[in-house]
PDB file of all heavy atoms in Angstrom:
ATOM      1  N   PRO Z 276      -5.649   2.823   3.372  1.00  0.00           N
ATOM      2  CA  PRO Z 276      -4.516   2.928   2.468  1.00  0.00           C
ATOM      3  C   PRO Z 276      -3.297   2.248   2.924  1.00  0.00           C
ATOM      4  O   PRO Z 276      -2.973   2.255   4.127  1.00  0.00           O
ATOM      5  CB  PRO Z 276      -4.315   4.386   2.273  1.00  0.00           C
ATOM      6  CG  PRO Z 276      -5.195   5.061   3.229  1.00  0.00           C
ATOM      7  CD  PRO Z 276      -6.079   4.065   3.853  1.00  0.00           C
ATOM      8  N   GLU Z 277      -2.507   1.570   2.002  1.00  0.00           N
ATOM      9  CA  GLU Z 277      -1.330   0.828   2.367  1.00  0.00           C
ATOM     10  C   GLU Z 277      -0.304   1.825   2.928  1.00  0.00           C
ATOM     11  O   GLU Z 277      -0.059   2.926   2.337  1.00  0.00           O
ATOM     12  CB  GLU Z 277      -0.793   0.152   1.182  1.00  0.00           C
ATOM     13  CG  GLU Z 277       0.389  -0.705   1.504  1.00  0.00           C
ATOM     14  CD  GLU Z 277       0.901  -1.508   0.272  1.00  0.00           C
ATOM     15  OE1 GLU Z 277       0.437  -1.187  -0.817  1.00  0.00           O
ATOM     16  OE2 GLU Z 277       1.625  -2.440   0.466  1.00  0.00           O
ATOM     17  N   GLY Z 278       0.276   1.437   4.066  1.00  0.00           N
ATOM     18  CA  GLY Z 278       1.318   2.236   4.578  1.00  0.00           C
ATOM     19  C   GLY Z 278       0.873   3.582   5.255  1.00  0.00           C
ATOM     20  O   GLY Z 278       1.672   4.438   5.517  1.00  0.00           O
ATOM     21  N   ALA Z 279      -0.424   3.691   5.527  1.00  0.00           N
ATOM     22  CA  ALA Z 279      -0.913   4.929   6.115  1.00  0.00           C
ATOM     23  C   ALA Z 279      -0.314   5.187   7.510  1.00  0.00           C
ATOM     24  O   ALA Z 279      -0.065   6.289   7.972  1.00  0.00           O
ATOM     25  CB  ALA Z 279      -2.437   4.922   6.211  1.00  0.00           C
ATOM     26  N   GLY Z 280      -0.120   4.122   8.211  1.00  0.00           N
ATOM     27  CA  GLY Z 280       0.545   4.106   9.530  1.00  0.00           C
ATOM     28  C   GLY Z 280      -0.313   4.702  10.663  1.00  0.00           C
ATOM     29  O   GLY Z 280      -1.440   5.139  10.357  1.00  0.00           O
ATOM     30  N   PRO Z 281       0.157   4.664  11.867  1.00  0.00           N
ATOM     31  CA  PRO Z 281      -0.607   5.036  12.970  1.00  0.00           C
ATOM     32  C   PRO Z 281      -1.009   6.558  13.048  1.00  0.00           C
ATOM     33  O   PRO Z 281      -1.921   6.860  13.690  1.00  0.00           O
ATOM     34  CB  PRO Z 281       0.316   4.718  14.137  1.00  0.00           C
ATOM     35  CG  PRO Z 281       1.401   3.825  13.721  1.00  0.00           C
ATOM     36  CD  PRO Z 281       1.432   4.102  12.080  1.00  0.00           C
ATOM     37  N   GLY Z 282      -0.185   7.422  12.419  1.00  0.00           N
ATOM     38  CA  GLY Z 282      -0.478   8.828  12.578  1.00  0.00           C
ATOM     39  C   GLY Z 282      -1.407   9.426  11.593  1.00  0.00           C
ATOM     40  O   GLY Z 282      -1.662  10.639  11.659  1.00  0.00           O
ATOM     41  N   SER Z 283      -1.855   8.738  10.644  1.00  0.00           N
ATOM     42  CA  SER Z 283      -2.645   9.318   9.527  1.00  0.00           C
ATOM     43  C   SER Z 283      -4.068   9.476   9.827  1.00  0.00           C
ATOM     44  O   SER Z 283      -4.721   8.419  10.039  1.00  0.00           O
ATOM     45  CB  SER Z 283      -2.424   8.455   8.290  1.00  0.00           C
ATOM     46  OG  SER Z 283      -3.062   7.270   8.494  1.00  0.00           O
ATOM     47  N   GLY Z 284      -4.578  10.685   9.834  1.00  0.00           N
ATOM     48  CA  GLY Z 284      -5.933  10.980   9.885  1.00  0.00           C
ATOM     49  C   GLY Z 284      -6.647  10.621  11.161  1.00  0.00           C
ATOM     50  O   GLY Z 284      -7.857  10.547  11.205  1.00  0.00           O
ATOM     51  N   HIS Z 285      -5.994  10.350  12.248  1.00  0.00           N
ATOM     52  CA  HIS Z 285      -6.702   9.961  13.473  1.00  0.00           C
ATOM     53  C   HIS Z 285      -6.882  11.163  14.313  1.00  0.00           C
ATOM     54  O   HIS Z 285      -5.999  12.017  14.475  1.00  0.00           O
ATOM     55  CB  HIS Z 285      -5.868   8.892  14.255  1.00  0.00           C
ATOM     56  CG  HIS Z 285      -5.652   7.620  13.414  1.00  0.00           C
ATOM     57  ND1 HIS Z 285      -6.690   6.919  12.937  1.00  0.00           N
ATOM     58  CD2 HIS Z 285      -4.532   7.079  13.008  1.00  0.00           C
ATOM     59  CE1 HIS Z 285      -6.182   5.939  12.255  1.00  0.00           C
ATOM     60  NE2 HIS Z 285      -4.880   5.995  12.261  1.00  0.00           N
ATOM     61  N   ALA Z 286      -7.995  11.212  14.993  1.00  0.00           N
ATOM     62  CA  ALA Z 286      -8.330  12.325  15.849  1.00  0.00           C
ATOM     63  C   ALA Z 286      -8.037  11.994  17.344  1.00  0.00           C
ATOM     64  O   ALA Z 286      -8.656  12.550  18.159  1.00  0.00           O
ATOM     65  CB  ALA Z 286      -9.830  12.636  15.692  1.00  0.00           C
ATOM     66  N   LEU Z 287      -7.062  11.139  17.519  1.00  0.00           N
ATOM     67  CA  LEU Z 287      -6.765  10.796  18.934  1.00  0.00           C
ATOM     68  C   LEU Z 287      -5.755  11.830  19.462  1.00  0.00           C
ATOM     69  O   LEU Z 287      -4.804  12.284  18.814  1.00  0.00           O
ATOM     70  CB  LEU Z 287      -6.133   9.458  18.963  1.00  0.00           C
ATOM     71  CG  LEU Z 287      -7.048   8.297  18.564  1.00  0.00           C
ATOM     72  CD1 LEU Z 287      -6.347   6.967  18.589  1.00  0.00           C
ATOM     73  CD2 LEU Z 287      -8.253   8.212  19.414  1.00  0.00           C
ATOM     74  N   LYS Z 288      -6.000  12.264  20.666  1.00  0.00           N
ATOM     75  CA  LYS Z 288      -5.174  13.321  21.292  1.00  0.00           C
ATOM     76  C   LYS Z 288      -3.902  12.645  21.895  1.00  0.00           C
ATOM     77  O   LYS Z 288      -2.868  13.305  21.897  1.00  0.00           O
ATOM     78  CB  LYS Z 288      -5.929  14.068  22.357  1.00  0.00           C
ATOM     79  CG  LYS Z 288      -6.984  14.881  21.861  1.00  0.00           C
ATOM     80  CD  LYS Z 288      -7.657  15.645  22.891  1.00  0.00           C
ATOM     81  CE  LYS Z 288      -8.835  16.486  22.381  1.00  0.00           C
ATOM     82  NZ  LYS Z 288      -9.668  17.084  23.309  1.00  0.00           N
ATOM     83  N   THR Z 289      -3.967  11.433  22.357  1.00  0.00           N
ATOM     84  CA  THR Z 289      -2.841  10.837  23.032  1.00  0.00           C
ATOM     85  C   THR Z 289      -2.023  10.028  22.049  1.00  0.00           C
ATOM     86  O   THR Z 289      -2.632   9.276  21.249  1.00  0.00           O
ATOM     87  CB  THR Z 289      -3.308   9.919  24.137  1.00  0.00           C
ATOM     88  OG1 THR Z 289      -4.188   8.933  23.668  1.00  0.00           O
ATOM     89  CG2 THR Z 289      -4.013  10.718  25.258  1.00  0.00           C
ATOM     90  N   LEU Z 290      -0.784  10.215  22.088  1.00  0.00           N
ATOM     91  CA  LEU Z 290       0.110   9.512  21.141  1.00  0.00           C
ATOM     92  C   LEU Z 290       0.136   7.993  21.362  1.00  0.00           C
ATOM     93  O   LEU Z 290       0.315   7.264  20.397  1.00  0.00           O
ATOM     94  CB  LEU Z 290       1.541  10.078  21.253  1.00  0.00           C
ATOM     95  CG  LEU Z 290       1.742  11.457  20.806  1.00  0.00           C
ATOM     96  CD1 LEU Z 290       3.164  11.894  21.093  1.00  0.00           C
ATOM     97  CD2 LEU Z 290       1.500  11.537  19.314  1.00  0.00           C
ATOM     98  N   GLU Z 291      -0.132   7.606  22.587  1.00  0.00           N
ATOM     99  CA  GLU Z 291      -0.150   6.098  22.871  1.00  0.00           C
ATOM    100  C   GLU Z 291      -1.295   5.422  22.255  1.00  0.00           C
ATOM    101  O   GLU Z 291      -1.242   4.187  21.981  1.00  0.00           O
ATOM    102  CB  GLU Z 291      -0.027   5.817  24.334  1.00  0.00           C
ATOM    103  CG  GLU Z 291      -1.136   6.336  25.208  1.00  0.00           C
ATOM    104  CD  GLU Z 291      -0.879   7.726  25.718  1.00  0.00           C
ATOM    105  OE1 GLU Z 291       0.167   8.343  25.431  1.00  0.00           O
ATOM    106  OE2 GLU Z 291      -1.694   8.154  26.524  1.00  0.00           O
ATOM    107  N   ASP Z 292      -2.435   6.096  21.945  1.00  0.00           N
ATOM    108  CA  ASP Z 292      -3.511   5.500  21.317  1.00  0.00           C
ATOM    109  C   ASP Z 292      -3.354   5.338  19.787  1.00  0.00           C
ATOM    110  O   ASP Z 292      -4.001   4.510  19.140  1.00  0.00           O
ATOM    111  CB  ASP Z 292      -4.808   6.279  21.591  1.00  0.00           C
ATOM    112  CG  ASP Z 292      -5.306   6.146  23.000  1.00  0.00           C
ATOM    113  OD1 ASP Z 292      -4.890   5.139  23.657  1.00  0.00           O
ATOM    114  OD2 ASP Z 292      -6.054   6.978  23.461  1.00  0.00           O
ATOM    115  N   ARG Z 293      -2.617   6.137  19.185  1.00  0.00           N
ATOM    116  CA  ARG Z 293      -2.403   6.110  17.745  1.00  0.00           C
ATOM    117  C   ARG Z 293      -1.852   4.862  17.174  1.00  0.00           C
ATOM    118  O   ARG Z 293      -2.333   4.297  16.189  1.00  0.00           O
ATOM    119  CB  ARG Z 293      -1.611   7.337  17.290  1.00  0.00           C
ATOM    120  CG  ARG Z 293      -2.345   8.671  17.399  1.00  0.00           C
ATOM    121  CD  ARG Z 293      -1.527   9.831  16.930  1.00  0.00           C
ATOM    122  NE  ARG Z 293      -2.274  10.990  17.252  1.00  0.00           N
ATOM    123  CZ  ARG Z 293      -1.886  12.228  16.989  1.00  0.00           C
ATOM    124  NH1 ARG Z 293      -0.649  12.353  16.307  1.00  0.00           N
ATOM    125  NH2 ARG Z 293      -2.597  13.267  17.223  1.00  0.00           N
ATOM    126  N   PRO Z 294      -0.846   4.346  17.821  1.00  0.00           N
ATOM    127  CA  PRO Z 294      -0.295   3.017  17.232  1.00  0.00           C
ATOM    128  C   PRO Z 294      -1.315   1.994  17.334  1.00  0.00           C
ATOM    129  O   PRO Z 294      -1.354   1.032  16.470  1.00  0.00           O
ATOM    130  CB  PRO Z 294       0.909   2.714  18.191  1.00  0.00           C
ATOM    131  CG  PRO Z 294       1.321   4.056  18.689  1.00  0.00           C
ATOM    132  CD  PRO Z 294       0.060   4.872  18.826  1.00  0.00           C
ATOM    133  N   LEU Z 295      -2.165   1.888  18.305  1.00  0.00           N
ATOM    134  CA  LEU Z 295      -3.183   0.873  18.396  1.00  0.00           C
ATOM    135  C   LEU Z 295      -4.225   0.900  17.267  1.00  0.00           C
ATOM    136  O   LEU Z 295      -4.509  -0.123  16.696  1.00  0.00           O
ATOM    137  CB  LEU Z 295      -3.991   0.986  19.761  1.00  0.00           C
ATOM    138  CG  LEU Z 295      -3.168   0.781  21.003  1.00  0.00           C
ATOM    139  CD1 LEU Z 295      -4.082   1.032  22.272  1.00  0.00           C
ATOM    140  CD2 LEU Z 295      -2.642  -0.620  21.056  1.00  0.00           C
ATOM    141  N   VAL Z 296      -4.541   2.074  16.852  1.00  0.00           N
ATOM    142  CA  VAL Z 296      -5.436   2.233  15.759  1.00  0.00           C
ATOM    143  C   VAL Z 296      -4.712   1.799  14.444  1.00  0.00           C
ATOM    144  O   VAL Z 296      -5.248   1.086  13.613  1.00  0.00           O
ATOM    145  CB  VAL Z 296      -6.067   3.660  15.636  1.00  0.00           C
ATOM    146  CG1 VAL Z 296      -6.816   3.856  14.391  1.00  0.00           C
ATOM    147  CG2 VAL Z 296      -6.919   3.961  16.881  1.00  0.00           C
ATOM    148  N   GLY Z 297      -3.502   2.206  14.312  1.00  0.00           N
ATOM    149  CA  GLY Z 297      -2.668   1.917  13.132  1.00  0.00           C
ATOM    150  C   GLY Z 297      -2.499   0.427  13.007  1.00  0.00           C
ATOM    151  O   GLY Z 297      -2.617  -0.152  11.945  1.00  0.00           O
ATOM    152  N   VAL Z 298      -2.263  -0.282  14.093  1.00  0.00           N
ATOM    153  CA  VAL Z 298      -2.071  -1.664  14.077  1.00  0.00           C
ATOM    154  C   VAL Z 298      -3.368  -2.359  13.704  1.00  0.00           C
ATOM    155  O   VAL Z 298      -3.360  -3.290  12.864  1.00  0.00           O
ATOM    156  CB  VAL Z 298      -1.600  -2.245  15.470  1.00  0.00           C
ATOM    157  CG1 VAL Z 298      -1.720  -3.779  15.531  1.00  0.00           C
ATOM    158  CG2 VAL Z 298      -0.110  -1.781  15.699  1.00  0.00           C
ATOM    159  N   ALA Z 299      -4.489  -1.931  14.248  1.00  0.00           N
ATOM    160  CA  ALA Z 299      -5.797  -2.511  13.919  1.00  0.00           C
ATOM    161  C   ALA Z 299      -6.073  -2.315  12.451  1.00  0.00           C
ATOM    162  O   ALA Z 299      -6.616  -3.216  11.699  1.00  0.00           O
ATOM    163  CB  ALA Z 299      -6.925  -1.869  14.714  1.00  0.00           C
ATOM    164  N   GLU Z 300      -5.741  -1.134  11.939  1.00  0.00           N
ATOM    165  CA  GLU Z 300      -6.015  -0.854  10.408  1.00  0.00           C
ATOM    166  C   GLU Z 300      -5.133  -1.856   9.592  1.00  0.00           C
ATOM    167  O   GLU Z 300      -5.603  -2.362   8.601  1.00  0.00           O
ATOM    168  CB  GLU Z 300      -5.658   0.586  10.071  1.00  0.00           C
ATOM    169  CG  GLU Z 300      -6.633   1.516  10.633  1.00  0.00           C
ATOM    170  CD  GLU Z 300      -6.206   3.019  10.319  1.00  0.00           C
ATOM    171  OE1 GLU Z 300      -4.935   3.274  10.322  1.00  0.00           O
ATOM    172  OE2 GLU Z 300      -7.015   3.871  10.281  1.00  0.00           O
ATOM    173  N   GLU Z 301      -3.849  -1.949   9.955  1.00  0.00           N
ATOM    174  CA  GLU Z 301      -2.908  -2.815   9.167  1.00  0.00           C
ATOM    175  C   GLU Z 301      -3.406  -4.313   9.250  1.00  0.00           C
ATOM    176  O   GLU Z 301      -3.324  -4.961   8.208  1.00  0.00           O
ATOM    177  CB  GLU Z 301      -1.517  -2.596   9.698  1.00  0.00           C
ATOM    178  CG  GLU Z 301      -0.921  -1.319   9.306  1.00  0.00           C
ATOM    179  CD  GLU Z 301       0.401  -1.033   9.953  1.00  0.00           C
ATOM    180  OE1 GLU Z 301       1.086  -1.990  10.479  1.00  0.00           O
ATOM    181  OE2 GLU Z 301       0.824   0.082  10.137  1.00  0.00           O
ATOM    182  N   GLN Z 302      -3.879  -4.733  10.366  1.00  0.00           N
ATOM    183  CA  GLN Z 302      -4.231  -6.127  10.541  1.00  0.00           C
ATOM    184  C   GLN Z 302      -5.514  -6.372   9.731  1.00  0.00           C
ATOM    185  O   GLN Z 302      -5.592  -7.422   9.119  1.00  0.00           O
ATOM    186  CB  GLN Z 302      -4.547  -6.491  12.015  1.00  0.00           C
ATOM    187  CG  GLN Z 302      -3.220  -6.625  12.791  1.00  0.00           C
ATOM    188  CD  GLN Z 302      -3.473  -6.934  14.264  1.00  0.00           C
ATOM    189  OE1 GLN Z 302      -4.582  -6.766  14.793  1.00  0.00           O
ATOM    190  NE2 GLN Z 302      -2.473  -7.407  14.931  1.00  0.00           N
ATOM    191  N   PHE Z 303      -6.443  -5.399   9.761  1.00  0.00           N
ATOM    192  CA  PHE Z 303      -7.711  -5.563   8.933  1.00  0.00           C
ATOM    193  C   PHE Z 303      -7.310  -5.617   7.502  1.00  0.00           C
ATOM    194  O   PHE Z 303      -7.826  -6.460   6.780  1.00  0.00           O
ATOM    195  CB  PHE Z 303      -8.671  -4.478   9.253  1.00  0.00           C
ATOM    196  CG  PHE Z 303      -9.918  -4.626   8.496  1.00  0.00           C
ATOM    197  CD1 PHE Z 303     -10.989  -5.384   9.027  1.00  0.00           C
ATOM    198  CD2 PHE Z 303     -10.145  -3.919   7.345  1.00  0.00           C
ATOM    199  CE1 PHE Z 303     -12.166  -5.542   8.277  1.00  0.00           C
ATOM    200  CE2 PHE Z 303     -11.346  -4.007   6.648  1.00  0.00           C
ATOM    201  CZ  PHE Z 303     -12.344  -4.876   7.095  1.00  0.00           C
ATOM    202  N   ARG Z 304      -6.516  -4.738   7.053  1.00  0.00           N
ATOM    203  CA  ARG Z 304      -6.102  -4.686   5.626  1.00  0.00           C
ATOM    204  C   ARG Z 304      -5.439  -5.996   5.257  1.00  0.00           C
ATOM    205  O   ARG Z 304      -5.766  -6.568   4.168  1.00  0.00           O
ATOM    206  CB  ARG Z 304      -5.161  -3.505   5.377  1.00  0.00           C
ATOM    207  CG  ARG Z 304      -4.626  -3.436   3.950  1.00  0.00           C
ATOM    208  CD  ARG Z 304      -3.770  -2.216   3.725  1.00  0.00           C
ATOM    209  NE  ARG Z 304      -3.235  -2.279   2.396  1.00  0.00           N
ATOM    210  CZ  ARG Z 304      -3.892  -1.906   1.310  1.00  0.00           C
ATOM    211  NH1 ARG Z 304      -5.081  -1.447   1.386  1.00  0.00           N
ATOM    212  NH2 ARG Z 304      -3.286  -1.965   0.145  1.00  0.00           N
ATOM    213  N   GLU Z 305      -4.515  -6.496   6.020  1.00  0.00           N
ATOM    214  CA  GLU Z 305      -3.848  -7.749   5.678  1.00  0.00           C
ATOM    215  C   GLU Z 305      -4.830  -8.926   5.680  1.00  0.00           C
ATOM    216  O   GLU Z 305      -4.653  -9.820   4.803  1.00  0.00           O
ATOM    217  CB  GLU Z 305      -2.662  -8.032   6.685  1.00  0.00           C
ATOM    218  CG  GLU Z 305      -1.587  -7.075   6.559  1.00  0.00           C
ATOM    219  CD  GLU Z 305      -0.900  -6.962   5.136  1.00  0.00           C
ATOM    220  OE1 GLU Z 305      -0.710  -8.135   4.599  1.00  0.00           O
ATOM    221  OE2 GLU Z 305      -0.657  -5.942   4.691  1.00  0.00           O
ATOM    222  N   GLN Z 306      -5.763  -8.911   6.548  1.00  0.00           N
ATOM    223  CA  GLN Z 306      -6.709 -10.047   6.630  1.00  0.00           C
ATOM    224  C   GLN Z 306      -7.561 -10.032   5.383  1.00  0.00           C
ATOM    225  O   GLN Z 306      -7.809 -11.042   4.713  1.00  0.00           O
ATOM    226  CB  GLN Z 306      -7.630  -9.874   7.848  1.00  0.00           C
ATOM    227  CG  GLN Z 306      -8.503 -11.077   8.149  1.00  0.00           C
ATOM    228  CD  GLN Z 306      -9.193 -10.894   9.463  1.00  0.00           C
ATOM    229  OE1 GLN Z 306      -9.340  -9.822  10.067  1.00  0.00           O
ATOM    230  NE2 GLN Z 306      -9.855 -11.996   9.887  1.00  0.00           N
ATOM    231  N   VAL Z 307      -8.115  -8.878   4.907  1.00  0.00           N
ATOM    232  CA  VAL Z 307      -8.862  -8.753   3.705  1.00  0.00           C
ATOM    233  C   VAL Z 307      -8.021  -9.060   2.451  1.00  0.00           C
ATOM    234  O   VAL Z 307      -8.495  -9.807   1.528  1.00  0.00           O
ATOM    235  CB  VAL Z 307      -9.493  -7.387   3.582  1.00  0.00           C
ATOM    236  CG1 VAL Z 307     -10.224  -7.201   2.192  1.00  0.00           C
ATOM    237  CG2 VAL Z 307     -10.510  -7.190   4.719  1.00  0.00           C
ATOM    238  N   LEU Z 308      -6.826  -8.646   2.404  1.00  0.00           N
ATOM    239  CA  LEU Z 308      -5.876  -8.894   1.262  1.00  0.00           C
ATOM    240  C   LEU Z 308      -5.700 -10.394   1.123  1.00  0.00           C
ATOM    241  O   LEU Z 308      -5.654 -10.916   0.018  1.00  0.00           O
ATOM    242  CB  LEU Z 308      -4.590  -8.180   1.353  1.00  0.00           C
ATOM    243  CG  LEU Z 308      -4.627  -6.631   1.052  1.00  0.00           C
ATOM    244  CD1 LEU Z 308      -3.261  -5.994   1.311  1.00  0.00           C
ATOM    245  CD2 LEU Z 308      -5.063  -6.417  -0.425  1.00  0.00           C
ATOM    246  N   GLY Z 309      -5.536 -11.067   2.341  1.00  0.00           N
ATOM    247  CA  GLY Z 309      -5.321 -12.499   2.283  1.00  0.00           C
ATOM    248  C   GLY Z 309      -6.595 -13.234   1.726  1.00  0.00           C
ATOM    249  O   GLY Z 309      -6.418 -14.203   0.902  1.00  0.00           O
ATOM    250  N   ILE Z 310      -7.750 -12.747   2.044  1.00  0.00           N
ATOM    251  CA  ILE Z 310      -8.944 -13.345   1.512  1.00  0.00           C
ATOM    252  C   ILE Z 310      -9.067 -13.100   0.042  1.00  0.00           C
ATOM    253  O   ILE Z 310      -9.418 -13.998  -0.784  1.00  0.00           O
ATOM    254  CB  ILE Z 310     -10.157 -12.796   2.247  1.00  0.00           C
ATOM    255  CG1 ILE Z 310     -10.210 -13.297   3.665  1.00  0.00           C
ATOM    256  CG2 ILE Z 310     -11.501 -13.226   1.510  1.00  0.00           C
ATOM    257  CD1 ILE Z 310     -11.270 -12.568   4.555  1.00  0.00           C
ATOM    258  N   LEU Z 311      -8.744 -11.868  -0.385  1.00  0.00           N
ATOM    259  CA  LEU Z 311      -8.774 -11.482  -1.866  1.00  0.00           C
ATOM    260  C   LEU Z 311      -7.827 -12.273  -2.647  1.00  0.00           C
ATOM    261  O   LEU Z 311      -8.047 -12.671  -3.772  1.00  0.00           O
ATOM    262  CB  LEU Z 311      -8.573  -9.937  -2.019  1.00  0.00           C
ATOM    263  CG  LEU Z 311      -9.674  -9.082  -1.489  1.00  0.00           C
ATOM    264  CD1 LEU Z 311      -9.312  -7.612  -1.581  1.00  0.00           C
ATOM    265  CD2 LEU Z 311     -11.057  -9.362  -2.185  1.00  0.00           C
ATOM    266  N   GLY Z 312      -6.660 -12.513  -2.035  1.00  0.00           N
ATOM    267  CA  GLY Z 312      -5.558 -13.200  -2.725  1.00  0.00           C
ATOM    268  C   GLY Z 312      -5.840 -14.726  -2.912  1.00  0.00           C
ATOM    269  O   GLY Z 312      -5.522 -15.299  -3.949  1.00  0.00           O
ATOM    270  N   SER Z 313      -6.342 -15.347  -1.824  1.00  0.00           N
ATOM    271  CA  SER Z 313      -6.442 -16.805  -1.801  1.00  0.00           C
ATOM    272  C   SER Z 313      -7.898 -17.244  -2.021  1.00  0.00           C
ATOM    273  O   SER Z 313      -8.115 -18.434  -2.391  1.00  0.00           O
ATOM    274  CB  SER Z 313      -5.937 -17.372  -0.541  1.00  0.00           C
ATOM    275  OG  SER Z 313      -6.843 -17.019   0.554  1.00  0.00           O
TER     276      SER Z 313
END
C-alpha cells in the first residue's frame, strides 16, 4: 500500500530493521509503478 511506511505490519523487533523493510517496499512499489506507467 502507498505510504504504508516502515512501521506498518512488520514483525521486526528492532527499530533499526523496520526502515530497511519500508525502503525495500517503497522501492519495489515505485519500480512496478514505473513499469505500469511507461
Side-chain angles (χ1 to χ4, degrees):
E277 184 175 15
S283 67
H285 301 302
L287 296 176
K288 290 181 183 173
T289 59
L290 290 176
E291 59 270 5
D292 288 339
R293 290 181 185 180
L295 295 175
V296 173
V298 167
E300 288 175 333
E301 289 170 19
Q302 287 178 344
F303 182 83
R304 179 177 172 79
E305 291 303 317
Q306 192 175 12
V307 173
L308 285 174
I310 292 169
L311 292 175
S313 69

